[in-house]
Amino acid sequence: MGVLDGLRAALGLKAEADARREADPEDLFGMSTAYMTMHADLGYESVGEAALCFSGVDASSFHDAVDEVEAILAAGQEETGTAFDVTADGHGYEWVVLADDDTEDLVTSMHFAADTFVEQGYGSRLLAAVFGYERPDRRADDGRPQRAYWIYSFRRGSFYPFAPAGGRDRNNSAEFKLESVLDGELDVEADKEYWYPLWPSEDGRHPWE
Amino acid sequence: MDWKPDWGLRARMGLTMFLLFALYIVFAAGIMLYTGGGMFVFLLIFGGFTVAQYYFSDTLTLKSMGAKTVSAEEYPDLHRTIERLSQQADLPKPKVAVVDERVPNAFATGRNQKNAAVAVTTGLLRTLDQDELEGVLAHELAHVKNRDMMVMTFASLLGTIAFMFVRWGAFFGGGRGRGGNRGGGGILVAILISLVVWIISYILMRALSRYREYAADRGAAAITGKPSALASALVSISSGVEKIPDKDLRDEAEMNAFFIIPLKSGVVGRLFSTHPPTEKRIEQLRTLEREMEGF
């Protein structure tokens, strides 16, 4: 370790750089095996939907990029049957919402979409990829199945769990369990200060709805 | 229930106990040498004090913590939970006490498995959900099961005596005066030795007590089968929950766009951040969780 490395370590800059890794759309494929673990070991099932959150740019080249993403997903829809929709939310972000009962196809389509943004030079506009799960055997207070999400943060290049528990509460116990079981299989964000929630607009809905 | 022995833990605890005991012998020999045996009486008094403290530990600790023993009528749910967990841990049901205190906390006391008490604060009952509460109660029951009160009392005996000696040694030395040639200097050295012994035993005690906490966490996981519930309780109690943000990613991403390194974990934060034992305990519980899932 050189002198500068030592200095950087002492100042905490190194830890910051180490903790943060470059986002890589390939990471998303980790979800295709993770969902089996989710099902077999934890009793979670895919809700059949996943969504990609990005912030738009008012430039024609960006609109072209979005068109390209839509074209690729439309082509994929014929092959895999993955339905898609592009929507906007109240926070000023846009979403590519994907629907497919086959989780493999869902993950593949998500990768296509994210990868296309990156190839068009708009990788920095990607915020998060969100995969929805629910436990049919566990019901929340309102009678709905308990939900949990795996969020891939493109800012951090890592996954983290998010289990909304009604209102602005999180089910920390469920999130902890997801983290401990899936860590290793997914690149889980170690620093919990970055486990930012994506609150749904109202209870029982998905963050992208 | 699977009460797996942790040999690494046991070895470290054995070593700590051995070191404490060796320290004890050196200390006693040093005292005898410099005071000519007069201090022996002094040691006996405080030894007796500690033994008494050990025998009355359950009532004494409850009193000093402001805990009130509660009946099954007053707290039916709490009683039922502790009863079930005791059964699971193969323990007689301990006394149940409650402290009227907002800060969430819990402790166990008692010299053996038959004379034990488990106390919780009202803040704990309010903060945790049922699973988390069971995790914490199982942790306390594991302390009882591991006879930690006995281990810790024995281990702290030396430290207590050394501390007393440092505090009151000068007073006792002053009354001795008859030694002539080595009285004053002898007492000074004895105090110095006591000080060193106190510091070392303090460090060893802390290590020992940390190991006992890990062991109790492991025991709690064995009793409830839910390491994650205890971990989430630890996070709630140690206010670690505040670390997990409740601010929406989309709002936060907007703000952080202005900074190269997000402020929250910037240079200063890293420089002063430590790893509190809670994080290590959670790390261990995660390992347990993974073991239980068969990884």
PDB file of all heavy atoms in Angstrom, chain B residues 16-51:
ATOM      1  N   THR B  16      -9.649 -16.381  28.956  1.00  0.00           N
ATOM      2  CA  THR B  16      -9.943 -15.185  29.749  1.00  0.00           C
ATOM      3  C   THR B  16     -10.037 -15.529  31.225  1.00  0.00           C
ATOM      4  O   THR B  16      -9.464 -14.836  32.076  1.00  0.00           O
ATOM      5  CB  THR B  16     -11.275 -14.558  29.281  1.00  0.00           C
ATOM      6  OG1 THR B  16     -11.251 -14.453  27.867  1.00  0.00           O
ATOM      7  CG2 THR B  16     -11.456 -13.196  29.893  1.00  0.00           C
ATOM      8  N   MET B  17     -10.749 -16.606  31.530  1.00  0.00           N
ATOM      9  CA  MET B  17     -10.893 -17.023  32.921  1.00  0.00           C
ATOM     10  C   MET B  17      -9.534 -17.382  33.512  1.00  0.00           C
ATOM     11  O   MET B  17      -9.233 -17.042  34.650  1.00  0.00           O
ATOM     12  CB  MET B  17     -11.835 -18.244  33.008  1.00  0.00           C
ATOM     13  CG  MET B  17     -13.275 -17.934  32.678  1.00  0.00           C
ATOM     14  SD  MET B  17     -14.020 -16.798  33.835  1.00  0.00           S
ATOM     15  CE  MET B  17     -14.752 -17.954  34.980  1.00  0.00           C
ATOM     16  N   PHE B  18      -8.712 -18.054  32.714  1.00  0.00           N
ATOM     17  CA  PHE B  18      -7.393 -18.451  33.175  1.00  0.00           C
ATOM     18  C   PHE B  18      -6.554 -17.220  33.502  1.00  0.00           C
ATOM     19  O   PHE B  18      -5.925 -17.121  34.552  1.00  0.00           O
ATOM     20  CB  PHE B  18      -6.697 -19.307  32.102  1.00  0.00           C
ATOM     21  CG  PHE B  18      -5.275 -19.625  32.419  1.00  0.00           C
ATOM     22  CD1 PHE B  18      -4.965 -20.632  33.338  1.00  0.00           C
ATOM     23  CD2 PHE B  18      -4.236 -18.935  31.817  1.00  0.00           C
ATOM     24  CE1 PHE B  18      -3.648 -20.918  33.637  1.00  0.00           C
ATOM     25  CE2 PHE B  18      -2.918 -19.219  32.111  1.00  0.00           C
ATOM     26  CZ  PHE B  18      -2.618 -20.215  33.027  1.00  0.00           C
ATOM     27  N   LEU B  19      -6.583 -16.245  32.587  1.00  0.00           N
ATOM     28  CA  LEU B  19      -5.814 -15.018  32.791  1.00  0.00           C
ATOM     29  C   LEU B  19      -6.299 -14.273  34.023  1.00  0.00           C
ATOM     30  O   LEU B  19      -5.507 -13.753  34.809  1.00  0.00           O
ATOM     31  CB  LEU B  19      -5.912 -14.115  31.553  1.00  0.00           C
ATOM     32  CG  LEU B  19      -5.124 -14.594  30.333  1.00  0.00           C
ATOM     33  CD1 LEU B  19      -5.401 -13.692  29.131  1.00  0.00           C
ATOM     34  CD2 LEU B  19      -3.633 -14.624  30.637  1.00  0.00           C
ATOM     35  N   LEU B  20      -7.622 -14.235  34.196  1.00  0.00           N
ATOM     36  CA  LEU B  20      -8.183 -13.567  35.370  1.00  0.00           C
ATOM     37  C   LEU B  20      -7.709 -14.246  36.641  1.00  0.00           C
ATOM     38  O   LEU B  20      -7.352 -13.592  37.623  1.00  0.00           O
ATOM     39  CB  LEU B  20      -9.717 -13.612  35.303  1.00  0.00           C
ATOM     40  CG  LEU B  20     -10.407 -12.441  34.612  1.00  0.00           C
ATOM     41  CD1 LEU B  20     -11.875 -12.737  34.416  1.00  0.00           C
ATOM     42  CD2 LEU B  20     -10.241 -11.163  35.419  1.00  0.00           C
ATOM     43  N   PHE B  21      -7.714 -15.567  36.592  1.00  0.00           N
ATOM     44  CA  PHE B  21      -7.326 -16.321  37.779  1.00  0.00           C
ATOM     45  C   PHE B  21      -5.841 -16.111  38.096  1.00  0.00           C
ATOM     46  O   PHE B  21      -5.460 -15.920  39.246  1.00  0.00           O
ATOM     47  CB  PHE B  21      -7.627 -17.808  37.554  1.00  0.00           C
ATOM     48  CG  PHE B  21      -7.716 -18.580  38.824  1.00  0.00           C
ATOM     49  CD1 PHE B  21      -8.770 -18.352  39.714  1.00  0.00           C
ATOM     50  CD2 PHE B  21      -6.751 -19.526  39.141  1.00  0.00           C
ATOM     51  CE1 PHE B  21      -8.848 -19.055  40.898  1.00  0.00           C
ATOM     52  CE2 PHE B  21      -6.828 -20.229  40.343  1.00  0.00           C
ATOM     53  CZ  PHE B  21      -7.876 -20.005  41.215  1.00  0.00           C
ATOM     54  N   ALA B  22      -5.009 -16.130  37.025  1.00  0.00           N
ATOM     55  CA  ALA B  22      -3.572 -15.906  37.212  1.00  0.00           C
ATOM     56  C   ALA B  22      -3.352 -14.530  37.819  1.00  0.00           C
ATOM     57  O   ALA B  22      -2.551 -14.358  38.755  1.00  0.00           O
ATOM     58  CB  ALA B  22      -2.864 -16.019  35.872  1.00  0.00           C
ATOM     59  N   LEU B  23      -4.101 -13.562  37.307  1.00  0.00           N
ATOM     60  CA  LEU B  23      -4.005 -12.195  37.800  1.00  0.00           C
ATOM     61  C   LEU B  23      -4.374 -12.148  39.287  1.00  0.00           C
ATOM     62  O   LEU B  23      -3.737 -11.464  40.081  1.00  0.00           O
ATOM     63  CB  LEU B  23      -4.963 -11.330  36.975  1.00  0.00           C
ATOM     64  CG  LEU B  23      -4.662  -9.850  36.867  1.00  0.00           C
ATOM     65  CD1 LEU B  23      -3.334  -9.619  36.191  1.00  0.00           C
ATOM     66  CD2 LEU B  23      -5.772  -9.171  36.098  1.00  0.00           C
ATOM     67  N   TYR B  24      -5.384 -12.897  39.610  1.00  0.00           N
ATOM     68  CA  TYR B  24      -5.875 -12.971  40.985  1.00  0.00           C
ATOM     69  C   TYR B  24      -4.764 -13.436  41.929  1.00  0.00           C
ATOM     70  O   TYR B  24      -4.551 -12.853  42.991  1.00  0.00           O
ATOM     71  CB  TYR B  24      -7.055 -13.946  41.024  1.00  0.00           C
ATOM     72  CG  TYR B  24      -7.803 -13.993  42.329  1.00  0.00           C
ATOM     73  CD1 TYR B  24      -8.893 -13.164  42.545  1.00  0.00           C
ATOM     74  CD2 TYR B  24      -7.436 -14.875  43.328  1.00  0.00           C
ATOM     75  CE1 TYR B  24      -9.595 -13.207  43.725  1.00  0.00           C
ATOM     76  CE2 TYR B  24      -8.122 -14.928  44.521  1.00  0.00           C
ATOM     77  CZ  TYR B  24      -9.210 -14.094  44.717  1.00  0.00           C
ATOM     78  OH  TYR B  24      -9.897 -14.136  45.888  1.00  0.00           O
ATOM     79  N   ILE B  25      -4.051 -14.498  41.499  1.00  0.00           N
ATOM     80  CA  ILE B  25      -2.993 -15.060  42.336  1.00  0.00           C
ATOM     81  C   ILE B  25      -1.847 -14.064  42.505  1.00  0.00           C
ATOM     82  O   ILE B  25      -1.364 -13.824  43.616  1.00  0.00           O
ATOM     83  CB  ILE B  25      -2.478 -16.395  41.736  1.00  0.00           C
ATOM     84  CG1 ILE B  25      -3.586 -17.452  41.844  1.00  0.00           C
ATOM     85  CG2 ILE B  25      -1.225 -16.864  42.460  1.00  0.00           C
ATOM     86  CD1 ILE B  25      -3.327 -18.695  41.044  1.00  0.00           C
ATOM     87  N   VAL B  26      -1.450 -13.463  41.391  1.00  0.00           N
ATOM     88  CA  VAL B  26      -0.366 -12.474  41.434  1.00  0.00           C
ATOM     89  C   VAL B  26      -0.757 -11.333  42.368  1.00  0.00           C
ATOM     90  O   VAL B  26       0.034 -10.887  43.205  1.00  0.00           O
ATOM     91  CB  VAL B  26      -0.072 -11.921  40.024  1.00  0.00           C
ATOM     92  CG1 VAL B  26       0.855 -10.726  40.081  1.00  0.00           C
ATOM     93  CG2 VAL B  26       0.505 -13.013  39.139  1.00  0.00           C
ATOM     94  N   PHE B  27      -2.003 -10.892  42.233  1.00  0.00           N
ATOM     95  CA  PHE B  27      -2.505  -9.791  43.037  1.00  0.00           C
ATOM     96  C   PHE B  27      -2.461 -10.133  44.531  1.00  0.00           C
ATOM     97  O   PHE B  27      -1.917  -9.375  45.348  1.00  0.00           O
ATOM     98  CB  PHE B  27      -3.939  -9.485  42.598  1.00  0.00           C
ATOM     99  CG  PHE B  27      -4.591  -8.378  43.366  1.00  0.00           C
ATOM    100  CD1 PHE B  27      -4.017  -7.118  43.409  1.00  0.00           C
ATOM    101  CD2 PHE B  27      -5.800  -8.590  44.029  1.00  0.00           C
ATOM    102  CE1 PHE B  27      -4.634  -6.085  44.103  1.00  0.00           C
ATOM    103  CE2 PHE B  27      -6.406  -7.566  44.731  1.00  0.00           C
ATOM    104  CZ  PHE B  27      -5.816  -6.313  44.770  1.00  0.00           C
ATOM    105  N   ALA B  28      -3.001 -11.307  44.874  1.00  0.00           N
ATOM    106  CA  ALA B  28      -3.048 -11.718  46.273  1.00  0.00           C
ATOM    107  C   ALA B  28      -1.639 -11.832  46.835  1.00  0.00           C
ATOM    108  O   ALA B  28      -1.359 -11.353  47.943  1.00  0.00           O
ATOM    109  CB  ALA B  28      -3.790 -13.054  46.394  1.00  0.00           C
ATOM    110  N   ALA B  29      -0.736 -12.427  46.039  1.00  0.00           N
ATOM    111  CA  ALA B  29       0.651 -12.587  46.499  1.00  0.00           C
ATOM    112  C   ALA B  29       1.288 -11.225  46.736  1.00  0.00           C
ATOM    113  O   ALA B  29       1.961 -11.002  47.748  1.00  0.00           O
ATOM    114  CB  ALA B  29       1.439 -13.383  45.461  1.00  0.00           C
ATOM    115  N   GLY B  30       1.043 -10.301  45.792  1.00  0.00           N
ATOM    116  CA  GLY B  30       1.602  -8.962  45.919  1.00  0.00           C
ATOM    117  C   GLY B  30       1.109  -8.257  47.172  1.00  0.00           C
ATOM    118  O   GLY B  30       1.889  -7.659  47.916  1.00  0.00           O
ATOM    119  N   ILE B  31      -0.188  -8.354  47.428  1.00  0.00           N
ATOM    120  CA  ILE B  31      -0.787  -7.729  48.613  1.00  0.00           C
ATOM    121  C   ILE B  31      -0.167  -8.294  49.884  1.00  0.00           C
ATOM    122  O   ILE B  31       0.247  -7.552  50.784  1.00  0.00           O
ATOM    123  CB  ILE B  31      -2.317  -7.974  48.625  1.00  0.00           C
ATOM    124  CG1 ILE B  31      -2.969  -7.304  47.417  1.00  0.00           C
ATOM    125  CG2 ILE B  31      -2.927  -7.470  49.919  1.00  0.00           C
ATOM    126  CD1 ILE B  31      -3.221  -5.834  47.562  1.00  0.00           C
ATOM    127  N   MET B  32      -0.068  -9.626  49.925  1.00  0.00           N
ATOM    128  CA  MET B  32       0.473 -10.289  51.110  1.00  0.00           C
ATOM    129  C   MET B  32       1.905  -9.842  51.361  1.00  0.00           C
ATOM    130  O   MET B  32       2.309  -9.580  52.485  1.00  0.00           O
ATOM    131  CB  MET B  32       0.466 -11.819  50.903  1.00  0.00           C
ATOM    132  CG  MET B  32      -0.918 -12.382  50.703  1.00  0.00           C
ATOM    133  SD  MET B  32      -1.803 -12.570  52.232  1.00  0.00           S
ATOM    134  CE  MET B  32      -1.537 -14.306  52.502  1.00  0.00           C
ATOM    135  N   LEU B  33       2.660  -9.762  50.253  1.00  0.00           N
ATOM    136  CA  LEU B  33       4.080  -9.433  50.354  1.00  0.00           C
ATOM    137  C   LEU B  33       4.271  -8.040  50.926  1.00  0.00           C
ATOM    138  O   LEU B  33       5.101  -7.801  51.793  1.00  0.00           O
ATOM    139  CB  LEU B  33       4.702  -9.529  48.955  1.00  0.00           C
ATOM    140  CG  LEU B  33       6.217  -9.688  48.914  1.00  0.00           C
ATOM    141  CD1 LEU B  33       6.608 -11.053  49.457  1.00  0.00           C
ATOM    142  CD2 LEU B  33       6.719  -9.544  47.474  1.00  0.00           C
ATOM    143  N   TYR B  34       3.475  -7.103  50.467  1.00  0.00           N
ATOM    144  CA  TYR B  34       3.711  -5.707  50.845  1.00  0.00           C
ATOM    145  C   TYR B  34       2.974  -5.278  52.109  1.00  0.00           C
ATOM    146  O   TYR B  34       3.285  -4.253  52.671  1.00  0.00           O
ATOM    147  CB  TYR B  34       3.361  -4.787  49.674  1.00  0.00           C
ATOM    148  CG  TYR B  34       4.471  -4.708  48.687  1.00  0.00           C
ATOM    149  CD1 TYR B  34       4.464  -5.469  47.537  1.00  0.00           C
ATOM    150  CD2 TYR B  34       5.579  -3.883  48.937  1.00  0.00           C
ATOM    151  CE1 TYR B  34       5.500  -5.426  46.632  1.00  0.00           C
ATOM    152  CE2 TYR B  34       6.623  -3.829  48.047  1.00  0.00           C
ATOM    153  CZ  TYR B  34       6.584  -4.595  46.897  1.00  0.00           C
ATOM    154  OH  TYR B  34       7.620  -4.540  46.015  1.00  0.00           O
ATOM    155  N   THR B  35       2.007  -6.033  52.529  1.00  0.00           N
ATOM    156  CA  THR B  35       1.279  -5.591  53.716  1.00  0.00           C
ATOM    157  C   THR B  35       1.475  -6.560  54.870  1.00  0.00           C
ATOM    158  O   THR B  35       0.922  -6.354  55.942  1.00  0.00           O
ATOM    159  CB  THR B  35      -0.225  -5.507  53.417  1.00  0.00           C
ATOM    160  OG1 THR B  35      -0.682  -6.814  53.050  1.00  0.00           O
ATOM    161  CG2 THR B  35      -0.502  -4.533  52.295  1.00  0.00           C
ATOM    162  N   GLY B  36       2.217  -7.606  54.623  1.00  0.00           N
ATOM    163  CA  GLY B  36       2.502  -8.565  55.690  1.00  0.00           C
ATOM    164  C   GLY B  36       1.262  -9.292  56.171  1.00  0.00           C
ATOM    165  O   GLY B  36       1.165  -9.676  57.332  1.00  0.00           O
ATOM    166  N   GLY B  37       0.275  -9.468  55.339  1.00  0.00           N
ATOM    167  CA  GLY B  37      -0.898 -10.271  55.698  1.00  0.00           C
ATOM    168  C   GLY B  37      -2.042  -9.473  56.290  1.00  0.00           C
ATOM    169  O   GLY B  37      -3.158  -9.964  56.393  1.00  0.00           O
ATOM    170  N   GLY B  38      -1.779  -8.222  56.654  1.00  0.00           N
ATOM    171  CA  GLY B  38      -2.823  -7.408  57.262  1.00  0.00           C
ATOM    172  C   GLY B  38      -3.988  -7.164  56.311  1.00  0.00           C
ATOM    173  O   GLY B  38      -5.146  -7.088  56.727  1.00  0.00           O
ATOM    174  N   MET B  39      -3.659  -7.111  55.045  1.00  0.00           N
ATOM    175  CA  MET B  39      -4.676  -6.842  54.041  1.00  0.00           C
ATOM    176  C   MET B  39      -5.596  -8.039  53.799  1.00  0.00           C
ATOM    177  O   MET B  39      -6.616  -7.913  53.141  1.00  0.00           O
ATOM    178  CB  MET B  39      -4.014  -6.468  52.709  1.00  0.00           C
ATOM    179  CG  MET B  39      -3.802  -4.990  52.522  1.00  0.00           C
ATOM    180  SD  MET B  39      -5.299  -4.036  52.703  1.00  0.00           S
ATOM    181  CE  MET B  39      -4.618  -2.574  53.421  1.00  0.00           C
ATOM    182  N   PHE B  40      -5.184  -9.173  54.295  1.00  0.00           N
ATOM    183  CA  PHE B  40      -5.952 -10.388  54.067  1.00  0.00           C
ATOM    184  C   PHE B  40      -7.375 -10.241  54.612  1.00  0.00           C
ATOM    185  O   PHE B  40      -8.348 -10.652  53.992  1.00  0.00           O
ATOM    186  CB  PHE B  40      -5.241 -11.577  54.714  1.00  0.00           C
ATOM    187  CG  PHE B  40      -5.726 -12.900  54.185  1.00  0.00           C
ATOM    188  CD1 PHE B  40      -5.576 -13.225  52.847  1.00  0.00           C
ATOM    189  CD2 PHE B  40      -6.349 -13.811  55.030  1.00  0.00           C
ATOM    190  CE1 PHE B  40      -6.021 -14.428  52.354  1.00  0.00           C
ATOM    191  CE2 PHE B  40      -6.812 -15.018  54.540  1.00  0.00           C
ATOM    192  CZ  PHE B  40      -6.640 -15.327  53.200  1.00  0.00           C
ATOM    193  N   VAL B  41      -7.445  -9.616  55.763  1.00  0.00           N
ATOM    194  CA  VAL B  41      -8.749  -9.375  56.392  1.00  0.00           C
ATOM    195  C   VAL B  41      -9.600  -8.484  55.485  1.00  0.00           C
ATOM    196  O   VAL B  41     -10.774  -8.727  55.257  1.00  0.00           O
ATOM    197  CB  VAL B  41      -8.556  -8.690  57.773  1.00  0.00           C
ATOM    198  CG1 VAL B  41      -9.896  -8.455  58.455  1.00  0.00           C
ATOM    199  CG2 VAL B  41      -7.641  -9.522  58.656  1.00  0.00           C
ATOM    200  N   PHE B  42      -8.922  -7.469  54.983  1.00  0.00           N
ATOM    201  CA  PHE B  42      -9.561  -6.516  54.075  1.00  0.00           C
ATOM    202  C   PHE B  42     -10.145  -7.238  52.859  1.00  0.00           C
ATOM    203  O   PHE B  42     -11.286  -7.013  52.458  1.00  0.00           O
ATOM    204  CB  PHE B  42      -8.487  -5.501  53.655  1.00  0.00           C
ATOM    205  CG  PHE B  42      -8.939  -4.502  52.643  1.00  0.00           C
ATOM    206  CD1 PHE B  42      -9.658  -3.380  53.032  1.00  0.00           C
ATOM    207  CD2 PHE B  42      -8.618  -4.662  51.296  1.00  0.00           C
ATOM    208  CE1 PHE B  42     -10.054  -2.456  52.099  1.00  0.00           C
ATOM    209  CE2 PHE B  42      -9.019  -3.738  50.359  1.00  0.00           C
ATOM    210  CZ  PHE B  42      -9.731  -2.628  50.761  1.00  0.00           C
ATOM    211  N   LEU B  43      -9.323  -8.167  52.314  1.00  0.00           N
ATOM    212  CA  LEU B  43      -9.757  -8.940  51.152  1.00  0.00           C
ATOM    213  C   LEU B  43     -10.968  -9.793  51.505  1.00  0.00           C
ATOM    214  O   LEU B  43     -11.914  -9.885  50.733  1.00  0.00           O
ATOM    215  CB  LEU B  43      -8.629  -9.844  50.652  1.00  0.00           C
ATOM    216  CG  LEU B  43      -7.514  -9.178  49.859  1.00  0.00           C
ATOM    217  CD1 LEU B  43      -6.457 -10.202  49.480  1.00  0.00           C
ATOM    218  CD2 LEU B  43      -8.057  -8.519  48.610  1.00  0.00           C
ATOM    219  N   LEU B  44     -10.931 -10.385  52.668  1.00  0.00           N
ATOM    220  CA  LEU B  44     -12.021 -11.258  53.101  1.00  0.00           C
ATOM    221  C   LEU B  44     -13.332 -10.482  53.193  1.00  0.00           C
ATOM    222  O   LEU B  44     -14.387 -10.967  52.803  1.00  0.00           O
ATOM    223  CB  LEU B  44     -11.699 -11.880  54.466  1.00  0.00           C
ATOM    224  CG  LEU B  44     -10.928 -13.204  54.439  1.00  0.00           C
ATOM    225  CD1 LEU B  44     -10.721 -13.735  55.850  1.00  0.00           C
ATOM    226  CD2 LEU B  44     -11.661 -14.247  53.599  1.00  0.00           C
ATOM    227  N   ILE B  45     -13.234  -9.278  53.726  1.00  0.00           N
ATOM    228  CA  ILE B  45     -14.441  -8.452  53.879  1.00  0.00           C
ATOM    229  C   ILE B  45     -15.101  -8.211  52.534  1.00  0.00           C
ATOM    230  O   ILE B  45     -16.295  -8.430  52.343  1.00  0.00           O
ATOM    231  CB  ILE B  45     -14.099  -7.094  54.548  1.00  0.00           C
ATOM    232  CG1 ILE B  45     -13.651  -7.323  55.993  1.00  0.00           C
ATOM    233  CG2 ILE B  45     -15.307  -6.153  54.509  1.00  0.00           C
ATOM    234  CD1 ILE B  45     -13.053  -6.100  56.662  1.00  0.00           C
ATOM    235  N   PHE B  46     -14.272  -7.806  51.559  1.00  0.00           N
ATOM    236  CA  PHE B  46     -14.860  -7.511  50.256  1.00  0.00           C
ATOM    237  C   PHE B  46     -15.240  -8.774  49.502  1.00  0.00           C
ATOM    238  O   PHE B  46     -16.178  -8.765  48.715  1.00  0.00           O
ATOM    239  CB  PHE B  46     -13.925  -6.623  49.448  1.00  0.00           C
ATOM    240  CG  PHE B  46     -14.033  -5.192  49.889  1.00  0.00           C
ATOM    241  CD1 PHE B  46     -13.035  -4.607  50.644  1.00  0.00           C
ATOM    242  CD2 PHE B  46     -15.175  -4.451  49.601  1.00  0.00           C
ATOM    243  CE1 PHE B  46     -13.159  -3.308  51.087  1.00  0.00           C
ATOM    244  CE2 PHE B  46     -15.302  -3.145  50.038  1.00  0.00           C
ATOM    245  CZ  PHE B  46     -14.296  -2.580  50.791  1.00  0.00           C
ATOM    246  N   GLY B  47     -14.488  -9.850  49.766  1.00  0.00           N
ATOM    247  CA  GLY B  47     -14.865 -11.141  49.197  1.00  0.00           C
ATOM    248  C   GLY B  47     -16.247 -11.522  49.692  1.00  0.00           C
ATOM    249  O   GLY B  47     -17.133 -11.902  48.908  1.00  0.00           O
ATOM    250  N   GLY B  48     -16.440 -11.366  51.006  1.00  0.00           N
ATOM    251  CA  GLY B  48     -17.735 -11.684  51.625  1.00  0.00           C
ATOM    252  C   GLY B  48     -18.836 -10.801  51.066  1.00  0.00           C
ATOM    253  O   GLY B  48     -19.940 -11.271  50.794  1.00  0.00           O
ATOM    254  N   PHE B  49     -18.497  -9.552  50.846  1.00  0.00           N
ATOM    255  CA  PHE B  49     -19.455  -8.598  50.293  1.00  0.00           C
ATOM    256  C   PHE B  49     -19.923  -9.060  48.914  1.00  0.00           C
ATOM    257  O   PHE B  49     -21.119  -9.051  48.602  1.00  0.00           O
ATOM    258  CB  PHE B  49     -18.771  -7.217  50.198  1.00  0.00           C
ATOM    259  CG  PHE B  49     -19.637  -6.161  49.583  1.00  0.00           C
ATOM    260  CD1 PHE B  49     -20.704  -5.622  50.297  1.00  0.00           C
ATOM    261  CD2 PHE B  49     -19.372  -5.686  48.301  1.00  0.00           C
ATOM    262  CE1 PHE B  49     -21.501  -4.646  49.726  1.00  0.00           C
ATOM    263  CE2 PHE B  49     -20.166  -4.716  47.734  1.00  0.00           C
ATOM    264  CZ  PHE B  49     -21.232  -4.187  48.442  1.00  0.00           C
ATOM    265  N   THR B  50     -18.960  -9.508  48.120  1.00  0.00           N
ATOM    266  CA  THR B  50     -19.299  -9.967  46.771  1.00  0.00           C
ATOM    267  C   THR B  50     -20.158 -11.225  46.800  1.00  0.00           C
ATOM    268  O   THR B  50     -21.103 -11.368  46.026  1.00  0.00           O
ATOM    269  CB  THR B  50     -18.010 -10.232  45.971  1.00  0.00           C
ATOM    270  OG1 THR B  50     -17.153  -9.121  46.121  1.00  0.00           O
ATOM    271  CG2 THR B  50     -18.313 -10.448  44.508  1.00  0.00           C
ATOM    272  N   VAL B  51     -19.801 -12.153  47.724  1.00  0.00           N
ATOM    273  CA  VAL B  51     -20.570 -13.385  47.847  1.00  0.00           C
ATOM    274  C   VAL B  51     -22.018 -13.067  48.240  1.00  0.00           C
ATOM    275  O   VAL B  51     -22.971 -13.619  47.687  1.00  0.00           O
ATOM    276  CB  VAL B  51     -19.910 -14.341  48.866  1.00  0.00           C
ATOM    277  CG1 VAL B  51     -20.845 -15.493  49.203  1.00  0.00           C
ATOM    278  CG2 VAL B  51     -18.602 -14.871  48.318  1.00  0.00           C
TER     279      VAL B  51
END
